[in-house]
Amino acid sequence: MAFRARHLLGIEHLTQDDIRTVLDLADSYVDLNRRTVKKTDALEGMTQINMFFENSTRTQASFELAGKRLGADVMNMSMQTSSVKKGETLIDTAMTLNAMHPDLLVVRHQNSGAVDLLAQKVECAVLNAGDGRHEHPTQALLDALTIRREKGRIQRLTVAICGDIAHSRVARSNLILLGKMENRVRLVGPPTLMPAGVAELGIEVYDDMREGLRDADVVMMLRLQKERMDGGFLPSEREYFHRYGLDAEKLSYAKDDAIVMHPGPMNRGVEIDGTIADDINRSVIQEQVEMGVAVRMACMDLLAQNLRRERGRALTEGQYV
Ligand code: ASP
């Protein structure tokens, strides 16, 4: 069986089979979530702690709901008011939490690599809910589920990822996932917001939206990550919208049935025109939010199964984990 990982730290570590296993299970959770009674007992008796060192609206709510629907006891740590502000190191925080015996730890952190580091110090399963510019694996998985349900497949599609690529963990995780599943990925945006060296890696890079969107099946827009910019990356937001903001005219270069995606939060009138974002015939932004809960349920369910297996093995070998 696929997906034998202890943690979900990034798409980088997953195989095609792992990705399919998550998406197939998530499909069944979409059905469950549409029922009146939305509960299962997959995480019954388990404790999930959410630690968000960076602000989040939908990801934190989504993980919380996912854990509750799976029957876990869910605790949200308020990191803004925690001991971290008093100078406690990440490792000390992790060790303190570890002593409370959580089973699943969901972590978002502003520094790339911080979640991996934490995972090495604790005994539970760790899920990366976004670390710096590095990875946001559940976002890429929920995007893949949305695409698969809309297009009927997650292979051989042309996907244009547009905007602030350089600062985006969403772009990075999607680039890896879509590449693993054998899609054609184009990165579209101003050269100042393109990571150095991508063209040399053989990735298609465009600084003209119309060319980049031509015949695309999927148009994935990204937020301008101003909090990660330390200088003048753009002449102005108005100019940016004019050249790179998604409007009806630019979208007309993509396929007639192309879908429009955005991970949120959106800056309307900066990277996307509000009418496109709200157009239910093109935009699948609300579906992405729905798929987010199902994908997080699937990931936590699979990790919990692995934990149980590992602990069962340890028990038969006479040690208590
Ligand atoms: N919510 C996504 C993230 O945490 C995208 C964004 O913030 O623009 O990376």
Coordinates of all heavy atoms in Angstrom, one line a residue, residues 210-269:
R210 N -0.4 36.7 -21.9 CA -1.2 36.2 -23.0 C -0.5 35.0 -23.6 O -1.2 34.0 -23.9 CB -1.5 37.3 -24.1 CG -2.4 38.3 -23.6 CD -2.5 39.6 -24.4 NE -3.3 40.6 -23.8 CZ -2.8 41.4 -22.8 NH1 -1.6 41.3 -22.4 NH2 -3.6 42.3 -22.3
E211 N 0.8 35.0 -23.8 CA 1.5 33.9 -24.3 C 1.5 32.7 -23.3 O 1.3 31.6 -23.7 CB 2.9 34.3 -24.6 CG 3.2 34.8 -25.9 CD 4.6 35.2 -26.1 OE1 5.5 34.4 -25.7 OE2 4.9 36.3 -26.6
G212 N 1.7 33.1 -22.0 CA 1.7 32.0 -21.0 C 0.4 31.3 -20.9 O 0.3 30.1 -20.5
L213 N -0.7 32.0 -21.1 CA -2.1 31.4 -20.9 C -2.6 30.7 -22.1 O -3.6 30.0 -22.1 CB -3.1 32.5 -20.5 CG -3.3 32.7 -19.0 CD1 -2.1 32.8 -18.2 CD2 -4.3 33.8 -18.7
R214 N -1.9 30.9 -23.3 CA -2.4 30.4 -24.5 C -2.7 28.8 -24.4 O -1.8 28.1 -24.1 CB -1.4 30.6 -25.6 CG -2.0 30.5 -27.0 CD -1.0 30.8 -28.1 NE -0.5 32.1 -28.1 CZ -1.2 33.2 -28.7 NH1 -2.3 33.0 -29.3 NH2 -0.6 34.4 -28.6
D215 N -4.0 28.5 -24.6 CA -4.4 27.1 -24.6 C -4.2 26.3 -23.3 O -4.2 25.1 -23.3 CB -3.7 26.3 -25.8 CG -4.2 26.8 -27.1 OD1 -5.3 27.2 -27.2 OD2 -3.3 26.8 -28.0
A216 N -4.1 27.1 -22.2 CA -4.0 26.4 -20.9 C -5.3 25.8 -20.5 O -6.4 26.3 -20.8 CB -3.5 27.4 -19.9
D217 N -5.2 24.6 -19.8 CA -6.4 24.0 -19.2 C -6.7 24.6 -17.8 O -7.9 24.6 -17.4 CB -6.1 22.5 -19.0 CG -5.9 21.8 -20.3 OD1 -6.8 21.6 -21.1 OD2 -4.7 21.4 -20.6
V218 N -5.7 25.0 -17.1 CA -5.8 25.5 -15.8 C -5.0 26.8 -15.6 O -3.9 26.8 -16.0 CB -5.3 24.4 -14.8 CG1 -5.4 24.9 -13.3 CG2 -6.0 23.1 -14.9
V219 N -5.7 27.8 -15.0 CA -5.0 29.0 -14.8 C -5.0 29.2 -13.2 O -6.0 29.4 -12.6 CB -5.7 30.2 -15.4 CG1 -4.9 31.5 -15.1 CG2 -5.8 30.0 -16.9
M220 N -3.8 29.1 -12.7 CA -3.7 29.2 -11.2 C -3.0 30.6 -10.9 O -1.9 30.8 -11.2 CB -2.7 28.1 -10.8 CG -2.8 27.7 -9.3 SD -1.7 26.3 -9.0 CE -2.7 24.9 -9.4
M221 N -3.8 31.4 -10.2 CA -3.3 32.7 -9.8 C -2.7 32.7 -8.4 O -3.2 31.9 -7.6 CB -4.4 33.8 -9.9 CG -5.1 33.9 -11.3 SD -3.9 34.2 -12.6 CE -3.1 35.7 -12.1
L222 N -1.7 33.5 -8.2 CA -1.1 33.6 -6.8 C -1.2 35.0 -6.3 O -1.2 36.0 -7.0 CB 0.4 33.2 -6.9 CG 0.7 31.9 -7.5 CD1 2.2 31.8 -7.7 CD2 0.3 30.8 -6.5
R223 N -1.3 35.1 -5.0 CA -1.3 36.4 -4.3 C 0.1 37.0 -4.3 O 1.1 36.3 -4.2 CB -1.7 36.1 -2.8 CG -1.8 37.4 -2.0 CD -2.3 37.0 -0.6 NE -1.4 36.2 0.2 CZ -0.4 36.6 1.0 NH1 -0.3 38.0 1.1 NH2 0.4 35.8 1.6
L224 N 0.1 38.3 -4.4 CA 1.4 39.0 -4.3 C 1.8 39.0 -2.8 O 1.1 39.5 -1.9 CB 1.2 40.5 -4.6 CG 1.4 41.0 -6.0 CD1 1.3 42.5 -6.1 CD2 2.8 40.5 -6.6
Q225 N 2.9 38.3 -2.5 CA 3.3 38.1 -1.1 C 4.1 39.2 -0.5 O 5.3 39.1 -0.3 CB 4.1 36.8 -1.0 CG 3.4 35.6 -1.7 CD 2.9 34.5 -0.8 OE1 3.6 34.1 0.1 NE2 1.8 34.0 -1.1
K226 N 3.4 40.3 -0.3 CA 4.1 41.6 0.1 C 4.9 41.4 1.4 O 5.9 42.0 1.6 CB 3.1 42.7 0.2 CG 2.6 43.2 -1.1 CD 1.6 44.3 -1.0 CE 0.3 43.8 -1.4 NZ -0.8 44.7 -1.2
E227 N 4.4 40.5 2.3 CA 5.1 40.3 3.6 C 6.4 39.7 3.4 O 7.2 39.7 4.3 CB 4.2 39.5 4.6 CG 4.0 38.0 4.3 CD 3.0 37.6 3.2 OE1 2.6 38.5 2.4 OE2 2.5 36.5 3.3
R228 N 6.6 39.1 2.2 CA 8.0 38.4 2.0 C 8.8 39.3 1.0 O 9.9 38.8 0.6 CB 7.8 37.0 1.4 CG 7.1 36.1 2.3 CD 7.1 34.6 1.8 NE 5.9 33.9 2.1 CZ 5.6 33.5 3.3 NH1 6.5 33.7 4.3 NH2 4.5 32.9 3.6
M229 N 8.4 40.5 0.7 CA 9.1 41.3 -0.2 C 9.9 42.4 0.6 O 9.3 43.0 1.5 CB 8.2 42.1 -1.2 CG 7.5 41.1 -2.1 SD 6.5 42.0 -3.3 CE 5.6 40.7 -4.0
D230 N 11.1 42.6 0.3 CA 11.9 43.6 1.1 C 12.3 44.7 0.3 O 13.3 45.4 0.5 CB 13.0 42.9 1.9 CG 13.9 42.1 0.9 OD1 13.6 42.2 -0.3 OD2 14.8 41.4 1.4
G231 N 11.6 45.0 -0.8 CA 12.1 46.1 -1.6 C 11.2 46.3 -2.8 O 10.0 45.8 -2.8
G232 N 11.6 47.0 -3.8 CA 10.8 47.3 -5.0 C 10.8 46.2 -6.0 O 11.6 46.2 -7.0
F233 N 9.9 45.3 -5.9 CA 9.7 44.2 -6.9 C 8.8 44.7 -8.1 O 8.8 44.1 -9.1 CB 9.1 43.0 -6.3 CG 10.1 42.2 -5.4 CD1 10.4 42.6 -4.1 CD2 10.8 41.1 -6.0 CE1 11.3 41.8 -3.4 CE2 11.7 40.4 -5.2 CZ 12.0 40.8 -3.9
L234 N 8.0 45.7 -7.8 CA 7.0 46.1 -8.8 C 7.0 47.6 -8.9 O 7.2 48.3 -7.9 CB 5.6 45.8 -8.3 CG 5.3 44.4 -7.7 CD1 4.0 44.5 -6.9 CD2 5.2 43.4 -8.8
P235 N 6.7 48.1 -10.1 CA 6.5 49.6 -10.2 C 5.3 50.1 -9.4 O 5.4 51.0 -8.6 CB 6.3 49.8 -11.7 CG 6.5 48.5 -12.4 CD 6.5 47.4 -11.4
S236 N 4.2 49.4 -9.6 CA 3.0 49.8 -8.7 C 2.0 48.7 -8.9 O 2.0 47.9 -9.8 CB 2.3 51.1 -9.2 OG 1.7 50.9 -10.4
E237 N 1.0 48.6 -8.0 CA 0.0 47.5 -8.0 C -0.9 47.7 -9.3 O -1.4 46.8 -9.9 CB -0.9 47.5 -6.8 CG -0.1 46.9 -5.6 CD -0.9 46.7 -4.3 OE1 -2.1 47.1 -4.3 OE2 -0.3 46.2 -3.4
R238 N -1.1 49.0 -9.6 CA -2.0 49.3 -10.8 C -1.3 48.7 -12.1 O -1.9 48.1 -12.9 CB -2.2 50.8 -10.9 CG -3.6 51.1 -11.2 CD -3.8 52.6 -11.1 NE -4.5 53.0 -12.4 CZ -4.2 54.1 -13.0 NH1 -3.3 54.9 -12.6 NH2 -4.8 54.3 -14.2
E239 N 0.0 49.0 -12.2 CA 0.7 48.5 -13.3 C 0.8 47.0 -13.3 O 0.7 46.4 -14.4 CB 2.2 49.1 -13.2 CG 3.2 48.7 -14.2 CD 2.9 49.1 -15.6 OE1 2.0 50.0 -15.8 OE2 3.5 48.6 -16.6
Y240 N 0.9 46.4 -12.1 CA 0.9 45.0 -12.0 C -0.4 44.4 -12.5 O -0.4 43.4 -13.3 CB 1.2 44.6 -10.6 CG 1.3 43.1 -10.4 CD1 2.5 42.4 -10.7 CD2 0.2 42.3 -9.9 CE1 2.6 41.0 -10.6 CE2 0.3 40.9 -9.8 CZ 1.5 40.3 -10.1 OH 1.6 38.9 -9.9
F241 N -1.5 44.9 -12.1 CA -2.8 44.4 -12.5 C -2.9 44.5 -14.1 O -3.4 43.6 -14.7 CB -3.9 45.2 -11.9 CG -5.3 44.6 -12.3 CD1 -5.7 43.4 -11.9 CD2 -6.1 45.4 -13.1 CE1 -6.9 42.8 -12.3 CE2 -7.4 44.9 -13.5 CZ -7.8 43.6 -13.1
H242 N -2.5 45.7 -14.6 CA -2.5 45.9 -16.0 C -1.8 44.8 -16.8 O -2.3 44.2 -17.8 CB -2.0 47.3 -16.3 CG -1.9 47.6 -17.8 ND1 -3.0 47.7 -18.6 CD2 -0.8 47.7 -18.6 CE1 -2.7 48.0 -19.8 NE2 -1.3 48.0 -19.9
R243 N -0.6 44.4 -16.3 CA 0.2 43.5 -17.1 C 0.0 42.0 -16.7 O 0.0 41.1 -17.5 CB 1.7 43.8 -16.8 CG 2.1 45.1 -17.5 CD 3.6 45.2 -17.7 NE 4.1 44.1 -18.5 CZ 5.4 43.9 -18.7 NH1 6.3 44.6 -18.1 NH2 5.8 42.9 -19.4
Y244 N -0.3 41.8 -15.4 CA -0.4 40.4 -14.9 C -1.7 40.0 -14.2 O -1.8 38.9 -13.8 CB 0.8 40.1 -14.0 CG 2.1 40.3 -14.7 CD1 2.9 41.4 -14.5 CD2 2.6 39.3 -15.6 CE1 4.1 41.6 -15.2 CE2 3.8 39.5 -16.2 CZ 4.5 40.6 -16.0 OH 5.7 40.8 -16.7
G245 N -2.5 41.0 -14.0 CA -3.8 40.7 -13.3 C -4.7 39.9 -14.3 O -4.8 40.2 -15.5
L246 N -5.4 38.9 -13.7 CA -6.2 38.1 -14.6 C -7.6 38.8 -14.8 O -8.3 39.0 -13.9 CB -6.5 36.7 -14.0 CG -7.2 35.7 -14.9 CD1 -6.4 35.3 -16.2 CD2 -7.7 34.4 -14.2
D247 N -7.9 39.1 -16.1 CA -9.2 39.7 -16.4 C -9.7 38.8 -17.6 O -9.1 37.9 -18.1 CB -9.1 41.2 -16.8 CG -8.1 41.4 -17.9 OD1 -7.7 40.5 -18.6 OD2 -7.7 42.6 -18.0
A248 N -10.9 39.2 -18.1 CA -11.6 38.4 -19.1 C -10.8 38.4 -20.4 O -10.6 37.3 -21.1 CB -13.0 39.0 -19.4
E249 N -10.2 39.5 -20.7 CA -9.4 39.6 -22.0 C -8.2 38.6 -21.9 O -8.0 37.8 -22.9 CB -9.0 41.0 -22.2 CG -8.4 41.4 -23.6 CD -6.9 41.1 -23.6 OE1 -6.2 41.3 -22.6 OE2 -6.4 40.8 -24.7
K250 N -7.4 38.6 -20.9 CA -6.3 37.7 -20.8 C -6.7 36.3 -20.7 O -6.1 35.4 -21.4 CB -5.4 38.1 -19.6 CG -4.7 39.5 -19.7 CD -3.7 39.7 -18.6 CE -3.4 41.1 -18.4 NZ -4.2 41.9 -17.5
L251 N -7.8 36.0 -20.0 CA -8.3 34.6 -19.8 C -8.8 34.1 -21.2 O -8.7 32.9 -21.4 CB -9.4 34.6 -18.8 CG -10.0 33.2 -18.5 CD1 -9.0 32.2 -18.0 CD2 -11.1 33.3 -17.4
S252 N -9.2 35.0 -22.1 CA -9.7 34.5 -23.4 C -8.6 33.8 -24.2 O -8.9 33.0 -25.1 CB -10.2 35.6 -24.2 OG -9.2 36.5 -24.6
Y253 N -7.3 33.9 -23.8 CA -6.2 33.2 -24.5 C -6.1 31.7 -24.0 O -5.6 30.9 -24.7 CB -4.9 33.9 -24.2 CG -4.7 35.1 -25.0 CD1 -5.4 36.3 -24.6 CD2 -4.0 35.1 -26.2 CE1 -5.3 37.5 -25.4 CE2 -3.9 36.3 -27.0 CZ -4.6 37.4 -26.6 OH -4.5 38.6 -27.4
A254 N -6.7 31.4 -22.9 CA -6.7 30.0 -22.4 C -7.8 29.2 -23.1 O -8.5 29.8 -23.9 CB -6.9 30.0 -20.9
K255 N -7.8 27.9 -22.9 CA -8.9 27.1 -23.5 C -10.2 27.6 -23.1 O -10.4 28.2 -22.0 CB -8.7 25.7 -23.1 CG -7.6 25.0 -23.9 CD -7.8 23.5 -23.8 CE -6.6 22.8 -24.6 NZ -6.1 21.6 -23.8
D256 N -11.3 27.4 -23.9 CA -12.6 27.9 -23.5 C -13.1 27.3 -22.2 O -13.9 28.0 -21.5 CB -13.6 27.5 -24.7 CG -13.3 28.3 -25.9 OD1 -12.6 29.4 -25.8 OD2 -13.8 27.9 -27.0
D257 N -12.7 26.1 -21.9 CA -13.2 25.5 -20.7 C -12.1 25.5 -19.6 O -12.2 24.7 -18.6 CB -13.6 24.0 -20.9 CG -12.4 23.1 -21.4 OD1 -11.3 23.7 -21.7 OD2 -12.6 21.9 -21.5
A258 N -11.2 26.4 -19.7 CA -10.1 26.5 -18.7 C -10.7 26.9 -17.4 O -11.6 27.7 -17.3 CB -9.0 27.5 -19.1
I259 N -10.2 26.3 -16.3 CA -10.7 26.7 -14.9 C -9.7 27.7 -14.3 O -8.5 27.7 -14.6 CB -10.9 25.5 -14.0 CG1 -9.6 24.6 -13.9 CG2 -12.1 24.7 -14.5 CD1 -9.6 23.6 -12.8
V260 N -10.2 28.6 -13.4 CA -9.4 29.6 -12.7 C -9.3 29.2 -11.3 O -10.3 28.9 -10.6 CB -10.0 31.0 -12.9 CG1 -9.3 32.0 -12.0 CG2 -10.1 31.4 -14.3
M261 N -8.1 29.2 -10.7 CA -7.9 28.8 -9.3 C -7.1 30.0 -8.6 O -6.4 30.8 -9.2 CB -7.0 27.5 -9.2 CG -7.6 26.4 -10.1 SD -6.6 24.9 -10.0 CE -7.1 24.3 -8.4
H262 N -7.3 30.0 -7.3 CA -6.5 30.9 -6.4 C -6.5 30.3 -5.0 O -7.6 29.9 -4.5 CB -7.2 32.3 -6.4 CG -6.3 33.4 -5.8 ND1 -5.8 33.3 -4.6 CD2 -5.8 34.5 -6.4 CE1 -5.1 34.4 -4.3 NE2 -5.1 35.2 -5.4
P263 N -5.3 30.2 -4.4 CA -5.3 29.6 -3.1 C -5.9 30.5 -1.9 O -6.2 29.9 -0.9 CB -3.8 29.4 -2.8 CG -3.1 30.5 -3.6 CD -4.0 30.7 -4.8
G264 N -6.1 31.8 -2.2 CA -6.5 32.7 -1.2 C -5.5 33.0 -0.2 O -4.5 32.1 0.0
P265 N -5.5 34.1 0.5 CA -6.5 35.1 0.4 C -6.2 35.9 -0.9 O -5.0 36.1 -1.3 CB -6.2 36.0 1.6 CG -4.8 35.7 2.0 CD -4.5 34.3 1.6
M266 N -7.3 36.4 -1.5 CA -7.2 37.1 -2.8 C -7.0 38.6 -2.6 O -7.6 39.2 -1.8 CB -8.5 36.9 -3.6 CG -8.5 35.8 -4.6 SD -10.1 35.9 -5.5 CE -11.3 35.4 -4.3
N267 N -6.2 39.2 -3.5 CA -6.2 40.7 -3.6 C -7.0 41.0 -4.9 O -6.4 41.0 -6.0 CB -4.8 41.2 -3.7 CG -4.0 41.0 -2.4 OD1 -4.5 41.4 -1.4 ND2 -2.8 40.5 -2.5
R268 N -8.3 41.3 -4.8 CA -9.0 41.6 -6.0 C -8.5 42.9 -6.6 O -8.2 43.9 -5.8 CB -10.5 41.8 -5.6 CG -11.2 40.5 -5.2 CD -12.6 40.8 -4.6 NE -13.2 39.5 -4.2 CZ -14.1 38.9 -4.8 NH1 -14.6 39.4 -5.9 NH2 -14.6 37.8 -4.4
G269 N -8.4 43.0 -7.9 CA -7.9 44.2 -8.5 C -6.4 44.3 -8.5 O -5.9 45.3 -9.0

